[in-house]
Amino acid sequence: DDETKTGEGDEEVSSFADNRKLWLAARQAMAVGLRRLASMYLDRDRPYEACEVLEDAVREVRELYGANSFEDADVLNHLGEAEVAAGRRQRAAAAFQGARESLSYWQIVNGGGPEVSEAEHLASAPSEQALAARVLDKRLTISEGRNLVKLGEHMKAEALLRRHLAFEEDEHRTEMGGFSLAIVPAIDLLAYVKMNQGTEAGYAESRALYERALAVTEVQVRDDNLQLLRRYENLGMACFRARDWPASQAWFRRADALLKAVGREDDDEDVQRVVRNISQAARMEHEQHLREQQAKLDEKRKAKEKKLRAMGLM
């Protein structure tokens, strides 16, 4: 009888375990299904519905895996990207922050945190989930950084965009020790942020970064490639913001020459934009020259008046 009871108990335990496995599998399938549904909504330009579905997915994932899990970070990142698509950038920022907190906690517990380099990470033969976490870290870094840029939070965005650039440098080195064109967007975005911080140091670094982007591009493309147009215009704008009017005009003129070299006419939209920029930089240089001349005249007038007062003639 005891053996019979023990057998029946084992069957009940086994049945409970099987049912729990089925329950977990169903919940996991639901979480995956919600994310897929959200992706469908985003593909159909329905971001608000995607956000609602992803909020349900967050609750589902947290019940399954907890609030500081890799899965929680992943779905919160998707929610942040959906909120960006919906134009709700503050809500996106909150979702990205939650994703970062969950991912950081997971990385601390499981190893492979942000202080581990790409080479060290790969050399350690990480698990499949650890590799997925690394990919998520990269994706979250650029998504969060871009959102902060759109919010005008350039100081906060800088650290994330520097990290994003470091990721890209690790991934896109060439055999000759240089970098592929794939790192140029990361350089451009960091340069844009530095330019919009409104400091002399920011202008100087922005210009240096845009020059680096140009150097990488020049190695990879022909002299008449229109990818160079963006590089020339970025440098023209960086110099403009730094009030280096002659250098700004020089870069915009290079952009104009490139457009003419590939057969663009005077009524072309790009040509007209570049010509306007040349004209504006030239006007600013002229106005600066007038201000400097006026300042010199004012100094001479003041010196003359001082002399006349000393002589008792005023």
Side-chain angles (χ1 to χ4, degrees), residues 288-303:
Q288 183 180 22
H289 176 71
L290 291 178
R291 286 193 298 270
E292 290 171 353
Q293 289 296 104
Q294 186 61 49
K296 290 178 181 178
L297 290 173
D298 290 343
E299 284 296 319
K300 288 181 179 180
R301 178 179 55 78
K302 290 177 182 178

Side-chain angles (χ1 to χ4, degrees), residues 199-209 242:
T199 65
E200 292 302 321
Y203 294 144
E205 186 175 359
S206 173
R207 186 170 177 174
L209 284 164

Side-chain angles (χ1 to χ4, degrees), residues 226 229 233 259 264 267-275:
L226 284 178
L229 177 65
E233 288 194 87
L259 289 169
R264 298 288 185 90
D267 60 352
D268 179 84
E269 181 180 345
D270 291 333
V271 172
Q272 290 180 354
R273 181 185 64 252
V274 169
V275 169

Side-chain angles (χ1 to χ4, degrees), residues 200-252:
E200 292 302 321
Y203 294 144
E205 186 175 359
S206 173
R207 186 170 177 174
L209 284 164
Y210 280 137
E211 287 172 348
R212 183 188 176 194
L214 173 61
V216 171
T217 305
E218 286 178 329
V219 171
Q220 304 287 336
V221 304
R222 289 164 49 95
D223 291 344
D224 61 351
N225 192 296
L226 284 178
Q227 289 189 58
L228 292 170
L229 177 65
R230 177 94 179 263
R231 310 281 82 78
Y232 295 155
E233 288 194 87
N234 284 343
L235 275 162
M237 187 55 65
C239 293
F240 187 94
R241 294 290 294 274
R243 297 178 175 81
D244 187 348
W245 317 122
S248 179
Q249 292 174 71
W251 284 114
F252 286 132

